Amino acid sequence: MVAPTLPHLSPEHLERLAELADASRLRAALPPPPKPPPARCRSRSRQYPGGWPNPWRTGRRRG
């Protein structure tokens, strides 16, 4: 089956369209990429060794 030509596109656009079509076919033929490793829990910072302060508790101490 021959692809129909689009008369309203310039030769540059047709060439770019052909490149994109080739790239999409290649991507479809390749195996899926490996999944990234699971995100690790954030380590505790030195500023808050017991964890982050509770905003409800810190807000009540004022005033």
Side-chain angles (χ1 to χ4, degrees):
M1 181 171 151
V2 176
T5 58
L6 303 174
H8 58 279
L9 291 178
S10 66
E12 293 84 15
H13 283 116
L14 287 173
E15 184 178 345
R16 178 71 177 145
L17 187 63
E19 288 176 5
L20 290 173
D22 291 342
S24 67
R25 283 191 211 103
L26 178 63
R27 174 171 272 184
L30 291 175
K35 292 184 178 179
R40 291 185 289 169
C41 295
R42 287 192 286 178
S43 62
R44 294 181 176 176
S45 66
R46 290 184 182 181
Q47 186 177 3
Y48 302 113
W52 291 97
N54 188 339
W56 298 102
R57 290 184 186 167
T58 56
R60 288 184 185 169
R61 289 186 185 172
R62 295 181 191 166

